[in-house]
């Protein structure tokens, strides 16, 4: 983890917005800086919204942030790459070249939401530990096996600060504020946003649709998520959790309206869908990565869930993106 002095030195922030970026992630980060200035009664932090060409990027909610500056020619202590929906389409060679130039110049680099993908594409995360939004976690793990991709909320690893989306960028900013101005100001900023505390980076992202679920169920789902590429028997899962198979079945039926086997099958297909949408992996490789023993079995299961074969997923995604 980076020394606190490195975080304390951060004053000038650039938020490099990509097409379809997550506005909630960017807004949470900026609002944290703004509130720190207000409560600290000074201008400890300054920030700019950036694009490569100086034209405002459209966020995934259809809105734009102004003013937007051209990233080239500006100097910042840290530049956050701000991603969102369909980040692959927003990652160009010009962006990769710009990020590499900034890295050579000694600029600290960060990422919000799916911006981690752009840093990975530019080869700037090799040897680093990093975080990314849970929806893109499996895709990056499959495509960049040389990178230590974490399921944590955010990761500070030397001169790389990577963060998941939603409200979590505010937690990262609270950590930066604490490094510069101490716990008292960090807590005061959190209180202004009606937060009881800033979440630690090493806290795990919650599994989708499992908020408020029993601990035993969350543990079971974590095991399923980390072992989807290999055969997993329900009896083995129950034994590792210290339950009978019948008890585990009852927990799943009560809270997910399906069996452990049904949940595992759905989770594998959902992971496969994300890999097809977010990577260029061949269909056969996607099937293997998601624990299917044959392409025929994968195709049948996929068609049964989504109504079309896996090879058509990318075409379906292209059609859904049309006006």
């Amino acid at each position: 983890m980076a020394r606190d002095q490195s975080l304390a030195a951060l004053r000038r922030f650039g938020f490099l917005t990509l097409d379809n970026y997550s506005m909630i992630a960017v807004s949470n980060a900026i609002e944290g800086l703004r509130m720190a200035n207000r409560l600290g009664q000074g201008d400890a932090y300054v920030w700019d919204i950036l694009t490569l060409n100086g034209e405002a990027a459209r966020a995934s909610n259809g809105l734009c942030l102004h003013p937007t500056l051209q990233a080239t020619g500006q100097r910042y202590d840290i530049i956050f790459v701000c991603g969102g929906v369909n980040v692959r389409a927003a990652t160009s060679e010009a962006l990769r070249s710009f990020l590499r130039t900034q890295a050579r110049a000694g600029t600290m680099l960060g990422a919000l939401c799916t911006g981690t993908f752009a840093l990975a594409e530019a080869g700037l995360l090799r040897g680093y530990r990093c975080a990314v939004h849970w929806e893109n976690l499996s895709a990056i793990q499959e495509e960049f096996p040389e990178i230590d991709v974490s399921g944590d909320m955010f990761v500070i690893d030397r001169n790389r600060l990577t963060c998941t989306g939603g409200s979590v960028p505010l937690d990262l900013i609270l950590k930066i504020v604490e490094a510069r101005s101490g716990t008292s100001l960090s807590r005061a900023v959190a209180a202004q946003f009606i937060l009881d505390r800033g979440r630690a980076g090493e806290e795990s992202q919650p599994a989708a649709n499992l908020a408020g679920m029993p601990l035993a169920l969350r543990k079971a789902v974590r095991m399923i998520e980390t072992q989807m590429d290999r055969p997993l028997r329900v009896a083995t899962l129950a034994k590792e959790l210290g339950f009978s198979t019948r008890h585990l079945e009852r927990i799943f039926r009560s809270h997910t309206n399906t069996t452990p086997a049904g949940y595992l099958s759905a989770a594998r297909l959902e992971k496969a869908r994300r890999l097809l949408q977010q990577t260029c992996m061949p269909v056969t490789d996607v099937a293997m990565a998601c624990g299917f023993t044959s392409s025929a079995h994968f195709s049948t299961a996929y068609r049964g869930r989504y109504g079309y074969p896996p090879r058509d997923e990318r075409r379906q995604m292209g059609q859904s993106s049309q006006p």
Side-chain angles (χ1 to χ4, degrees), residues 46-304:
V46 294
W47 57 87
D48 290 315
I49 304 298
L50 308 172
T51 58
L52 292 184
N53 61 10
E55 297 293 327
R58 188 179 297 273
S60 57
N61 62 7
L63 303 179
C64 300
L65 291 175
H66 297 277
T68 297
L69 305 181
Q70 188 170 9
T72 54
Q74 308 289 333
R75 289 289 298 170
Y76 298 93
D77 298 321
I78 183 168
I79 292 177
F80 280 103
V81 184
C82 307
V85 177
N86 199 12
V87 66
R88 176 181 293 278
T91 304
S92 63
E93 180 54 39
L95 174 63
R96 293 188 288 269
S97 177
F98 170 78
L99 293 174
R100 292 174 189 136
T101 299
Q102 293 298 316
R104 287 193 296 269
T107 305
M108 191 176 286
L109 295 174
L112 303 183
C113 195
T114 63
T116 301
F117 176 85
L119 294 181
E121 275 271 286
L124 298 172
L125 290 177
R126 294 191 186 98
Y128 286 90
R129 191 166 175 269
C130 64
V132 69
H133 190 281
W134 63 263
E135 196 172 35
N136 295 77
L137 187 61
S138 56
I140 287 189
Q141 286 174 328
E142 293 291 340
E143 195 159 358
F144 302 97
E146 74 280 6
I147 298 174
D148 183 6
V149 187
S150 165
D152 291 354
M153 294 284 194
F154 62 85
V155 173
I156 302 171
D157 187 354
R158 292 160 287 167
N159 55 356
R160 300 288 185 270
L161 279 65
T162 50
C163 182
T164 59
S167 63
V168 178
L170 178 55
D171 297 286
L172 175 58
I173 295 301
L174 291 174
K175 185 75 174 176
I176 293 172
V177 170
E178 181 180 7
R180 183 183 184 94
S181 303
T183 303
S184 178
L185 181 59
S186 176
R187 288 178 176 171
V189 172
Q192 286 290 320
F193 295 113
I194 320 179
L195 299 176
D196 59 350
R197 65 182 178 90
R199 290 169 291 189
E202 57 269 20
E203 291 186 36
S204 296
Q205 299 180 63
N209 304 321
L210 289 180
M213 296 296 185
L215 179 60
L217 180 59
R218 295 201 300 271
K219 286 182 176 179
V221 169
R222 293 292 184 197
M223 290 182 64
I224 288 173
E225 289 176 342
T226 57
Q227 300 182 51
M228 275 194 280
D229 60 342
R230 62 181 72 96
L232 180 61
R233 296 173 59 86
V234 174
T236 303
L237 179 63
K239 184 178 180 180
E240 291 190 27
L241 290 167
F243 300 132
S244 68
T245 302
R246 180 174 296 180
H247 181 61
L248 187 62
E249 296 263 359
R250 188 160 53 247
I251 292 174
F252 267 86
R253 284 192 181 278
S254 175
H255 294 281
T256 69
N257 201 33
T258 188
T259 64
Y263 188 94
L264 173 59
S265 176
R268 281 177 167 158
L269 288 168
E270 183 58 33
K271 176 182 178 180
R273 194 181 198 191
R274 290 199 297 268
L275 291 179
L276 289 169
Q277 291 176 344
Q278 299 168 9
T279 75
C280 295
M281 293 171 64
V283 172
T284 53
D285 290 353
V286 170
M288 292 179 60
C290 297
F292 289 92
T293 55
S294 72
S295 296
H297 177 211
F298 175 47
S299 183
T300 300
Y302 203 93
R303 184 190 291 271

Side-chain angles (χ1 to χ4, degrees), residues 22-34:
S22 169
M23 186 169 283
I24 190 173
V26 176
S27 298
N28 269 283
I30 291 175
E31 283 296 284
L33 298 174
R34 178 190 68 82

